[in-house]
Amino acid sequence: VSSANNTYIRVSLPAVCFVWQIAMVILFGVFIRYDEESDEKGWHEFKRSHNITSNIENDFYFRYPSFQDVHVMIFVGFGFLMTFLKRYSFGGVGFNFLIAAFGLQWALLMQGWFHSLDPVTGKITIGIESLINADFCCAGSLIAYGALLGKVSPVQLMIVTLFGVTLFAVEEYIILDLLHCRDAGGSMVIHTFGGYYGLAISWVLYRPNLNLSKRLNGSVYHSDLFAMIGALFLWMFWPSFNSAITNHGAGQHRTVINTYLSLAACVLTTFAISSMGQKKGKLDMVHIQNASLAAGVAMGTSAEFMITPYGSIIVGFCCGIISTFGYLYVTPFLEKRLKLQDTCGIHNLHAVPGMLGGFVGAIVAAAATEEVYGKEGLVETFGLSGKFENRSMSTQGAYQAAGTCVAIAFGLVGGVCVGFILRFPLWGDPADDFCFDDEAYWELPEDEETIPPVLEYNNHMINKHQDT
Amino acid sequence: VSSANNTYIRVSLPAVCFVWQIAMVILFGVFIRYDEESDEKGWHEFKRSHNITSNIENDFYFRYPSFQDVHVMIFVGFGFLMTFLKRYSFGGVGFNFLIAAFGLQWALLMQGWFHSLDPVTGKITIGIESLINADFCCAGSLIAYGALLGKVSPVQLMIVTLFGVTLFAVEEYIILDLLHCRDAGGSMVIHTFGGYYGLAISWVLYRPNLNLSKRLNGSVYHSDLFAMIGALFLWMFWPSFNSAITNHGAGQHRTVINTYLSLAACVLTTFAISSMGQKKGKLDMVHIQNASLAAGVAMGTSAEFMITPYGSIIVGFCCGIISTFGYLYVTPFLEKRLKLQDTCGIHNLHAVPGMLGGFVGAIVAAAATEEVYGKEGLVETFGLSGKFENRSMSTQGAYQAAGTCVAIAFGLVGGVCVGFILRFPLWGDPADDFCFDDEAYWELPEDEETIPPVLEYNNHMINKHQDT
Amino acid sequence: VSSANNTYIRVSLPAVCFVWQIAMVILFGVFIRYDEESDEKGWHEFKRSHNITSNIENDFYFRYPSFQDVHVMIFVGFGFLMTFLKRYSFGGVGFNFLIAAFGLQWALLMQGWFHSLDPVTGKITIGIESLINADFCCAGSLIAYGALLGKVSPVQLMIVTLFGVTLFAVEEYIILDLLHCRDAGGSMVIHTFGGYYGLAISWVLYRPNLNLSKRLNGSVYHSDLFAMIGALFLWMFWPSFNSAITNHGAGQHRTVINTYLSLAACVLTTFAISSMGQKKGKLDMVHIQNASLAAGVAMGTSAEFMITPYGSIIVGFCCGIISTFGYLYVTPFLEKRLKLQDTCGIHNLHAVPGMLGGFVGAIVAAAATEEVYGKEGLVETFGLSGKFENRSMSTQGAYQAAGTCVAIAFGLVGGVCVGFILRFPLWGDPADDFCFDDEAYWELPEDEETIPPVLEYNNHMINKHQDT
């Protein structure tokens, strides 16, 4: 089989895009409606029934700024973080764009069916919080893309996302609703799940001869700067990510503070270990771009809790160390020993910090007391009302830990299954010597090398003009 | 005439900048004052007269996040979208910066005279909403710049903007005030007008020998990534663009949801058609950067209405197809048959989707019923109070359609007139063989080629040091 | 001494990072707690005691959007503005990241001790406003970095930041608390201080043989575009910077309007002078990236006052001229005559505009009248309550002017002292022929030059495959 033919997607990609987008039209037509705060008639009735006099009490105004930050993280953050490869930047940011745009539509449906299906009307109503959750749900699949970067076709990525979003909605339902865990920033449901999902897929898709593409599996000077744009937008907006759907008031406020502090501490230990890890003490851009974000991942569950400012810093401190060590030693080990090729190192940025975040959350939850939170604060923060009214904090901690395990299990099992689906030889993935190469799926512009002669030619023409 | 001399702007550019900026100082001195929510004394009186007790009820807090998103779209979005040319990135982002900075000042005056001139004091009062509208008003001229990119001088662009903003304020007054159309996101007043304005100018400025600069009329790998930054910020923040000046409450909330969904659907069909349009199924960055935005343009009018979530998706679905087809077939056709050179393809991104958006808005308005909106919702959404109290919805739809035609007419006629002004041979525009070249107006840094020897030189020096 | 050995930081950088980060853990553990709006129990008590019924009255919602804009300015704005050098972009954005992440932690402590230490409990309580102030405090040191860019080691930068934040907290206490000046956007406390601090350090660290690195002290085409990202995000979000901690209501609203107008005017005069300053009238990217921001700096103090819209435009008008002149003539003069090497030209972007801004603020304050502000407006805007109740406006103006002098003095004296500390020969700074070179501290990816052969190789392989 020729490697060039392999990547022919002129039929499959449009087919998948059209079929799935038409399905979205139909399903949205059947199921999706505006919620009471975005429906024109509904909002007027809502205001009347809730004695609200002013339009500015619409929850839109208290979620939208966070939503936009999350939106930037999904499209520019994840997208540009994946532009670091020297010749796969189009694929990095472009396919990220494609699958997020599909994933968020599918997520609105899947999460709607599980969380906000009205049993009477059979409709799902959506508002700004649904959009945030849809973006979150995509993040799981985008994380998985990180492990697969450069080795799969866009058609395969659409499948990864279809199943990724589906699995996400199920595990989220189990973890948040059945186990009643708290996980506002998604250490468990987003990062742990997404990380192990991607790793499992990558493990099934192991390519023994990937070193044929080794020359392209690295960065150049400018591609590292593009990746730094993504990294910084992720880093800066992570406080918004973790706080976007927390309880309003002190909870949201505190989540921002905790995430902000943890991320700052993480940067220092990342720089320290990165320098220690190289013979001459030189820093590695891969660590700076990635490991400095690990604290945001690890605070996803506990940032909402009263983890204290110094507790947040300690978490960040440890994450920078663990994640950078991961990039230095664990990723190479996984590739050699476990036959696990993880292009972006999501093991170190999502899987492990997410899992740690889940367990940190369990510990902090178990340690929560009425003395610190106040009685109503404890109830509000952990949602201990209704049938969970009598749950003790140590029980809550145990459920949080169980939730982390559920996320790992869903990621691993789901990933293996999806990996096998992706091995059917009809999805247009590149041959081993054609990975990490935009040439496979993109019309590339001519090389930069050809400009200077043009300029010379122009100057020549100008001089000629001036002479006459 | 030598092509190099042509681009001499050392007198004309500073002259235009100084004259116009001094005019701004004088006109602002005469006309512009703070409004009641930004004036220190006025705000205290406003609070007292409106029984407001808290400073946080200032409308600033409910418009500012949207404003900042719009601001990013104008300067980073439009600016970086136009960096895609291999040697005109400075001009793309730099001149965008210049004309937007001028345009917004002139817009505050023009829009002020038409919309908020106090007949008693003869003053215009401005607040955060005025800043959003000024940014919007600039957008019309920046869209026109897209058609002219690389072929005009900054002095010409200042003239395009001076007249563009002026024409915008007039057509906006006719469409929004006289015809009483609704157009919160500006499908008509911004995109249709701006698109046809730029196309008409470009048509008048047709350059038969532009192929002399053909070598520079294309991208390189990294310039496409810079353009992707602009494209993504436009895409992500388009919900803010369309909702920035809608009615508070459900209207603003719904506008965001509709725009978000429509844009997501548009991405999938853009990828599909882009792949189908190339022999080997490869994707084209030009489509991804541009056509995926067409849905935002097309939802500018109707996103505020009860178009329903699936209605939004259908609009996005169609726009991705139409816009990508435009890039594949219509732009080349226009250039060959109509002698219309449209560098960025604004025909496909603004003119046609804007016009479509205007007519979609007309249809959705005509179909509006009290059953769906509620009585007060209908009045609020379409502003049917005062002398418009008795306007039926089908009449409103007809006026919306008429508004679209006004925008087209203003764009075409205004553009032709401005085009002829720009043909005076004194504005420093480049010769046909000097287009798309930053060399004309920018001091360019030395070429990248010269670095590696330096590094070698340094390494050489280091080795020498180490040897000693 | 070999220049290569000089930059060995494998011991010192990790040591500094670990020691300081561990110190942060301990000090945060001892001192830092959540404030009443972010503490779970505290917020419930606060709501009860202040008769607040709704969580959305938490001040978080009225500061957070501004905070995120400021955060973007600190990390992407300052960071990418410093990527303009052809081979120091990693150092520009990377070390900016490191020192801001450290600085903000230290700032929370330093500013906490001076401003919000509870005398009873001995604790500092933090909330969203503290985070904004911490970001502000870092800005002083990041400005100083601008003068030192490419010539110092990351270890030295950590020291610059440690002392910079410390000095900042003291001068801020003197200026804002003791002199009771108003300086919401920090013309004095941030820009004047930071500018002179950096200049003084750079003066002490004068390198007579810096021309050995001259080849790398300049930009390339793409590095200028990266810098433009930073410049634009600074420019766009400067209204948020100046208004982030003003009084809520009209004050915050007006600050945005004034800063927005001033920045727009500044762009036009920057373009004008840039064009006039070059023989052929060509524009210089250095001016566009930097001088167009000077208006934001200069409005830092007075944007909050009733400076009037046209007053703002006049300030912007003058700043564009002064700052661009500075880049054209003053920076070269300083280097030749005063032996002051200022890589980014912070003299023209921060020191002088900041100082001007301080004095403009003094004049506008002195000119404030009850007629314009209203009685309560005057008290609120200038904080003239308590022991400052009887301060006349001319006295306030005099104090504002005195505050500017304090900022200059702290910058100069502090900078000279820190400069001498940095001259100890143990911090790993590069030799004169190794400045402006990422090679010193970063593992650099292979050169871009090596890609095309790879592609050729791949194409070759593909053809071979197809032939078989």
Side-chain angles (χ1 to χ4, degrees):
Chain A
V1 181
S2 145
S3 58
N5 280 1
N6 262 347
T7 61
Y8 185 83
I9 50 166
R10 198 184 176 189
V11 174
S12 54
L13 182 63
V16 168
C17 286
F18 274 117
V19 169
W20 290 0
Q21 192 56 54
I22 290 168
M24 291 300 114
V25 172
I26 297 167
L27 291 170
F28 269 66
V30 176
F31 288 104
I32 306 274
R33 297 292 178 271
Y34 302 119
D35 73 6
E36 57 200 1
E37 298 198 67
S38 55
D39 185 88
E40 192 59 37
K41 198 176 180 181
W43 171 240
H44 283 103
E45 285 165 9
F46 184 82
K47 282 201 289 183
R48 225 169 288 127
S49 64
H50 286 70
N51 256 329
I52 294 172
T53 52
S54 169
N55 277 322
I56 61 178
E57 291 182 51
N58 195 300
D59 199 39
F60 174 77
Y61 299 100
F62 305 93
R63 295 283 182 207
Y64 189 62
S66 313
F67 161 70
Q68 271 300 3
D69 292 350
V70 171
H71 216 40
V72 170
M73 291 174 74
I74 296 295
F75 289 91
V76 162
F78 280 103
F80 272 88
L81 189 61
M82 291 197 273
T83 59
F84 73 101
L85 288 172
K86 64 182 84 167
R87 280 283 144 174
Y88 207 74
S89 306
F90 285 14
V93 67
F95 296 150
N96 182 81
F97 191 27
L98 172 65
I99 61 179
F102 163 65
L104 60 85
Q105 296 178 65
W106 182 227
L108 283 170
L109 284 160
M110 282 302 302
Q111 295 185 315
W113 283 320
F114 276 104
H115 294 284
S116 50
L117 191 69
D118 187 308
V120 181
T121 62
K123 305 295 181 199
I124 298 162
T125 58
I126 60 171
I128 187 70
E129 214 172 319
S130 321
L131 306 194
I132 298 172
N133 275 310
D135 272 20
F136 277 179
C137 188
C138 291
S141 299
L142 300 181
I143 290 165
Y145 180 28
L148 309 172
L149 187 72
K151 301 176 296 181
V152 291
S153 76
V155 181
Q156 288 179 309
L157 287 173
M158 294 291 275
I159 293 164
V160 167
T161 308
L162 180 75
F163 287 105
V165 167
T166 310
L167 290 162
F168 184 101
V170 179
E171 56 113 28
E172 186 192 37
Y173 178 71
I174 295 172
I175 294 172
L176 300 190
D177 288 51
L178 301 189
L179 302 182
H180 198 69
C181 300
R182 300 293 296 181
D183 193 21
S187 282
M188 299 183 267
V189 297
I190 300 171
H191 299 287
T192 306
F193 164 73
Y196 286 105
Y197 180 59
L199 291 173
I201 296 173
S202 194
W203 180 72
V204 175
L205 296 182
Y206 179 69
R207 289 165 177 268
N209 299 315
L210 190 59
N211 60 348
L212 285 172
S213 293
K214 199 183 164 188
R215 270 167 255 104
L216 293 179
N217 190 1
S219 63
V220 289
Y221 197 69
H222 284 158
S223 70
D224 264 329
L225 283 170
F226 281 112
M228 201 65 196
I229 296 174
L232 284 177
F233 274 103
L234 287 172
W235 192 90
M236 295 181 304
F237 288 168
W238 218 294
S240 300
F241 191 92
N242 283 350
S243 70
I245 55 162
T246 56
N247 293 326
H248 281 314
Q252 200 160 7
H253 199 153
R254 187 171 59 244
T255 308
V256 163
I257 296 171
N258 290 333
T259 311
Y260 170 93
L261 290 174
S262 188
L263 283 163
C266 188
V267 173
L268 270 82
T269 51
T270 297
F271 270 81
I273 303 294
S274 182
S275 175
M276 286 168 70
Q278 206 261 1
K279 218 171 43 181
K280 294 183 181 171
K282 293 190 182 184
L283 298 160
D284 190 329
M285 259 291 165
V286 170
H287 308 155
I288 309 308
Q289 285 158 9
N290 292 279
S292 54
L293 304 170
V297 172
M299 293 296 288
T301 303
S302 55
E304 196 184 2
F305 305 155
M306 294 285 291
I307 190 173
T308 72
Y310 68 92
S312 305
I313 290 183
I314 291 170
V315 171
F317 189 98
C318 299
C319 281
I321 297 172
I322 292 166
S323 185
T324 314
F325 262 114
Y327 279 96
L328 282 166
Y329 305 112
V330 181
T331 299
F333 171 86
L334 290 177
E335 179 151 3
K336 266 194 207 142
R337 305 291 156 172
L338 291 194
K339 301 193 176 310
L340 182 46
Q341 290 151 336
D342 176 7
T343 314
C344 293
I346 62 164
H347 176 268
N348 317 303
L349 172 48
H350 296 283
V352 169
M355 189 181 60
L356 281 177
F359 291 122
V360 168
I363 294 167
V364 179
T369 60
E370 213 178 289
E371 198 191 328
V372 172
Y373 289 75
K375 192 173 173 57
E376 54 196 317
L378 209 56
V379 170
E380 238 182 54
T381 305
F382 294 95
L384 299 180
S385 53
K387 65 177 174 176
F388 302 103
E389 201 178 344
N390 297 315
R391 192 185 267 189
S392 75
M393 289 322 299
S394 52
T395 315
Q396 178 68 25
Y399 274 107
Q400 298 274 148
T404 311
C405 300
V406 170
I408 296 172
F410 260 80
L412 288 177
V413 176
V416 168
C417 300
V418 172
F420 279 103
I421 295 172
L422 297 184
R423 284 177 68 175
F424 288 114
L426 44 79
W427 308 121
D429 47 323
D432 291 346
D433 60 349
F434 205 39
C435 287
F436 312 120
D437 196 343
D438 275 333
E439 193 69 39
Y441 305 111
W442 297 87
E443 275 195 87
L444 292 187
E446 49 177 326
D447 280 332
E448 214 142 333
E449 266 62 7
T450 60
I451 311 178
V454 172
L455 286 173
E456 274 158 35
Y457 174 86
N458 270 350
N459 289 336
H460 169 74
M461 295 291 286
I462 293 162
N463 293 335
K464 241 176 50 186
H465 273 285
Q466 283 173 328
D467 291 345
T468 57
Chain B
V1 183
S2 144
S3 59
N5 279 2
N6 262 347
T7 62
Y8 185 82
I9 50 165
R10 198 184 177 191
V11 174
S12 54
L13 182 63
V16 168
C17 286
F18 274 118
V19 169
W20 290 0
Q21 191 57 55
I22 290 169
M24 290 301 114
V25 171
I26 297 166
L27 291 169
F28 269 66
V30 176
F31 288 105
I32 305 275
R33 298 292 177 269
Y34 303 118
D35 73 5
E36 58 199 1
E37 298 197 67
S38 55
D39 185 87
E40 192 59 38
K41 198 175 180 182
W43 172 239
H44 283 103
E45 284 163 11
F46 183 83
K47 282 201 290 182
R48 224 170 288 128
S49 65
H50 286 69
N51 257 328
I52 293 172
T53 53
S54 169
N55 278 322
I56 61 178
E57 289 183 52
N58 195 301
D59 199 39
F60 174 78
Y61 299 101
F62 305 92
R63 295 284 182 205
Y64 190 63
S66 313
F67 161 71
Q68 271 300 2
D69 292 351
V70 171
H71 215 42
V72 170
M73 292 174 74
I74 297 293
F75 290 90
V76 163
F78 280 103
F80 271 89
L81 189 61
M82 291 197 273
T83 59
F84 73 100
L85 289 173
K86 65 182 84 168
R87 280 283 144 173
Y88 207 74
S89 306
F90 284 15
V93 68
F95 296 150
N96 182 82
F97 191 26
L98 172 66
I99 62 180
F102 163 65
L104 61 86
Q105 296 177 64
W106 181 228
L108 283 171
L109 284 161
M110 282 302 303
Q111 295 185 316
W113 284 321
F114 276 103
H115 293 284
S116 50
L117 190 69
D118 187 308
V120 180
T121 61
K123 304 297 180 198
I124 298 161
T125 58
I126 59 170
I128 187 69
E129 214 171 320
S130 321
L131 307 193
I132 298 173
N133 275 311
D135 272 20
F136 277 0
C137 188
C138 291
S141 300
L142 300 181
I143 289 164
Y145 181 29
L148 309 173
L149 188 71
K151 301 176 294 179
V152 292
S153 74
V155 181
Q156 287 180 309
L157 287 172
M158 294 291 274
I159 292 164
V160 167
T161 308
L162 180 77
F163 288 105
V165 167
T166 310
L167 289 162
F168 184 101
V170 178
E171 57 112 28
E172 186 191 37
Y173 178 71
I174 295 172
I175 295 172
L176 301 191
D177 288 50
L178 301 188
L179 302 181
H180 199 68
C181 299
R182 300 293 296 181
D183 193 21
S187 282
M188 299 184 267
V189 296
I190 300 170
H191 300 287
T192 306
F193 164 74
Y196 285 105
Y197 179 60
L199 291 173
I201 296 174
S202 195
W203 180 72
V204 175
L205 297 182
Y206 179 69
R207 288 166 176 268
N209 299 315
L210 190 60
N211 61 347
L212 285 173
S213 293
K214 200 181 162 186
R215 269 168 255 105
L216 293 180
N217 190 1
S219 64
V220 290
Y221 198 68
H222 284 159
S223 71
D224 264 330
L225 284 170
F226 281 112
M228 201 65 196
I229 296 174
L232 284 178
F233 274 102
L234 287 172
W235 192 91
M236 296 181 302
F237 288 168
W238 218 295
S240 299
F241 191 92
N242 284 349
S243 70
I245 55 163
T246 56
N247 294 326
H248 282 314
Q252 199 161 8
H253 199 152
R254 186 170 60 242
T255 308
V256 163
I257 296 171
N258 290 333
T259 311
Y260 170 93
L261 290 174
S262 187
L263 283 163
C266 187
V267 173
L268 270 82
T269 51
T270 296
F271 269 81
I273 303 294
S274 182
S275 175
M276 287 168 70
Q278 207 261 4
K279 219 171 46 182
K280 294 183 180 170
K282 293 189 182 184
L283 299 160
D284 189 330
M285 258 293 164
V286 170
H287 308 154
I288 310 308
Q289 286 157 9
N290 291 280
S292 54
L293 303 170
V297 172
M299 293 297 287
T301 303
S302 54
E304 194 184 4
F305 306 155
M306 293 286 291
I307 188 173
T308 74
Y310 67 92
S312 306
I313 290 183
I314 291 170
V315 171
F317 190 98
C318 299
C319 281
I321 297 172
I322 293 166
S323 185
T324 314
F325 263 114
Y327 279 96
L328 282 166
Y329 305 113
V330 182
T331 299
F333 171 85
L334 290 179
E335 179 150 4
K336 267 194 206 142
R337 304 290 157 174
L338 291 194
K339 299 192 177 308
L340 182 46
Q341 290 151 337
D342 176 6
T343 314
C344 293
I346 63 164
H347 176 268
N348 317 304
L349 173 47
H350 297 283
V352 169
M355 189 180 61
L356 281 177
F359 292 123
V360 168
I363 294 166
V364 179
T369 60
E370 213 178 290
E371 198 191 326
V372 172
Y373 290 75
K375 191 173 175 54
E376 52 196 319
L378 210 54
V379 169
E380 237 182 55
T381 304
F382 295 95
L384 300 179
S385 52
K387 64 177 176 177
F388 303 103
E389 201 177 342
N390 296 316
R391 190 185 267 190
S392 76
M393 288 323 298
S394 53
T395 315
Q396 178 69 25
Y399 275 106
Q400 298 274 148
T404 311
C405 300
V406 170
I408 296 172
F410 259 81
L412 289 178
V413 175
V416 168
C417 299
V418 172
F420 279 103
I421 294 171
L422 296 184
R423 284 177 69 175
F424 288 115
L426 44 79
W427 309 121
D429 47 323
D432 291 348
D433 60 348
F434 206 37
C435 287
F436 312 121
D437 196 343
D438 276 333
E439 193 70 39
Y441 304 110
W442 297 87
E443 274 194 88
L444 292 185
E446 49 176 326
D447 279 334
E448 214 143 332
E449 267 62 7
T450 60
I451 312 178
V454 173
L455 286 173
E456 274 158 35
Y457 174 87
N458 271 350
N459 289 336
H460 169 72
M461 295 292 284
I462 295 163
N463 292 335
K464 240 176 49 186
H465 273 287
Q466 283 173 329
D467 291 344
T468 57
Chain C
V1 181
S2 145
S3 59
N5 280 2
N6 261 347
T7 62
Y8 185 83
I9 49 164
R10 198 185 177 188
V11 174
S12 54
L13 182 63
V16 168
C17 286
F18 273 118
V19 168
W20 292 0
Q21 192 56 55
I22 290 169
M24 291 300 113
V25 171
I26 296 167
L27 291 169
F28 270 67
V30 176
F31 288 105
I32 306 275
R33 298 292 178 269
Y34 303 118
D35 73 6
E36 57 200 1
E37 298 198 66
S38 55
D39 185 87
E40 192 60 37
K41 199 175 178 183
W43 172 238
H44 283 103
E45 284 163 11
F46 183 83
K47 283 201 291 183
R48 227 170 286 126
S49 64
H50 286 69
N51 257 328
I52 294 172
T53 52
S54 170
N55 278 321
I56 61 178
E57 290 182 51
N58 195 301
D59 198 39
F60 174 78
Y61 299 100
F62 305 92
R63 295 283 181 205
Y64 190 63
S66 311
F67 162 70
Q68 272 299 3
D69 292 350
V70 171
H71 215 41
V72 170
M73 292 174 75
I74 297 294
F75 289 92
V76 163
F78 281 102
F80 272 88
L81 189 61
M82 291 198 273
T83 59
F84 73 101
L85 289 172
K86 65 183 81 165
R87 278 284 144 172
Y88 206 75
S89 306
F90 284 15
V93 67
F95 296 150
N96 182 82
F97 191 26
L98 172 65
I99 62 179
F102 163 65
L104 61 86
Q105 297 178 64
W106 180 228
L108 282 170
L109 285 161
M110 282 301 305
Q111 295 186 315
W113 284 320
F114 276 103
H115 293 285
S116 51
L117 190 70
D118 186 309
V120 180
T121 62
K123 304 296 180 197
I124 298 161
T125 58
I126 59 171
I128 187 69
E129 214 172 318
S130 322
L131 305 194
I132 298 172
N133 275 311
D135 273 20
F136 276 179
C137 188
C138 291
S141 300
L142 300 181
I143 290 165
Y145 180 29
L148 309 173
L149 187 72
K151 301 176 295 179
V152 291
S153 76
V155 181
Q156 288 180 308
L157 287 172
M158 294 292 274
I159 292 164
V160 166
T161 308
L162 180 76
F163 288 105
V165 166
T166 310
L167 289 162
F168 184 102
V170 178
E171 56 112 30
E172 187 191 37
Y173 178 70
I174 294 172
I175 295 171
L176 300 190
D177 288 49
L178 301 188
L179 302 182
H180 197 68
C181 300
R182 300 293 296 181
D183 193 21
S187 281
M188 299 183 268
V189 296
I190 300 170
H191 299 287
T192 305
F193 164 74
Y196 286 105
Y197 179 60
L199 291 173
I201 296 173
S202 194
W203 181 71
V204 175
L205 296 182
Y206 180 69
R207 289 167 176 266
N209 299 314
L210 190 60
N211 61 347
L212 285 172
S213 292
K214 200 182 162 187
R215 269 168 257 106
L216 292 179
N217 189 1
S219 64
V220 290
Y221 197 69
H222 283 159
S223 70
D224 264 329
L225 284 170
F226 281 112
M228 201 64 196
I229 296 173
L232 284 177
F233 273 102
L234 287 171
W235 193 90
M236 297 180 303
F237 287 168
W238 218 295
S240 299
F241 192 91
N242 283 349
S243 70
I245 55 163
T246 56
N247 293 327
H248 281 315
Q252 200 161 8
H253 199 152
R254 187 170 60 243
T255 308
V256 163
I257 296 171
N258 290 333
T259 311
Y260 170 93
L261 290 175
S262 188
L263 283 163
C266 188
V267 172
L268 270 83
T269 51
T270 297
F271 270 80
I273 303 292
S274 183
S275 176
M276 286 168 70
Q278 207 261 2
K279 218 170 45 182
K280 294 182 181 170
K282 292 189 182 184
L283 299 160
D284 189 329
M285 259 292 166
V286 170
H287 307 155
I288 310 309
Q289 286 157 9
N290 291 279
S292 55
L293 303 170
V297 173
M299 293 296 288
T301 303
S302 54
E304 196 184 3
F305 306 156
M306 293 286 291
I307 189 172
T308 73
Y310 67 93
S312 306
I313 290 183
I314 292 171
V315 171
F317 190 98
C318 299
C319 281
I321 297 173
I322 293 166
S323 186
T324 314
F325 262 113
Y327 278 97
L328 282 166
Y329 305 112
V330 182
T331 299
F333 171 85
L334 290 178
E335 178 150 2
K336 266 192 206 144
R337 305 289 157 174
L338 292 194
K339 300 193 175 309
L340 182 46
Q341 291 152 337
D342 176 6
T343 314
C344 292
I346 62 164
H347 175 268
N348 318 304
L349 173 48
H350 296 283
V352 168
M355 189 179 60
L356 281 177
F359 291 123
V360 168
I363 294 166
V364 179
T369 60
E370 213 177 289
E371 198 192 325
V372 172
Y373 289 75
K375 193 174 173 55
E376 53 195 316
L378 209 56
V379 169
E380 236 182 56
T381 304
F382 296 94
L384 299 180
S385 53
K387 65 176 175 178
F388 303 103
E389 201 177 343
N390 297 315
R391 190 185 267 190
S392 75
M393 289 322 298
S394 53
T395 315
Q396 178 68 26
Y399 275 107
Q400 297 275 148
T404 310
C405 299
V406 170
I408 297 172
F410 259 81
L412 289 177
V413 176
V416 168
C417 299
V418 171
F420 278 102
I421 294 171
L422 296 184
R423 283 176 69 175
F424 288 115
L426 43 79
W427 309 120
D429 46 324
D432 291 347
D433 61 347
F434 206 38
C435 287
F436 312 121
D437 196 343
D438 276 334
E439 193 71 39
Y441 305 110
W442 296 87
E443 276 195 86
L444 293 186
E446 48 177 329
D447 281 334
E448 215 142 333
E449 266 62 5
T450 59
I451 310 178
V454 172
L455 286 173
E456 274 157 34
Y457 174 88
N458 271 350
N459 288 335
H460 169 73
M461 295 292 286
I462 294 162
N463 292 335
K464 242 175 50 187
H465 273 284
Q466 284 174 328
D467 292 343
T468 56

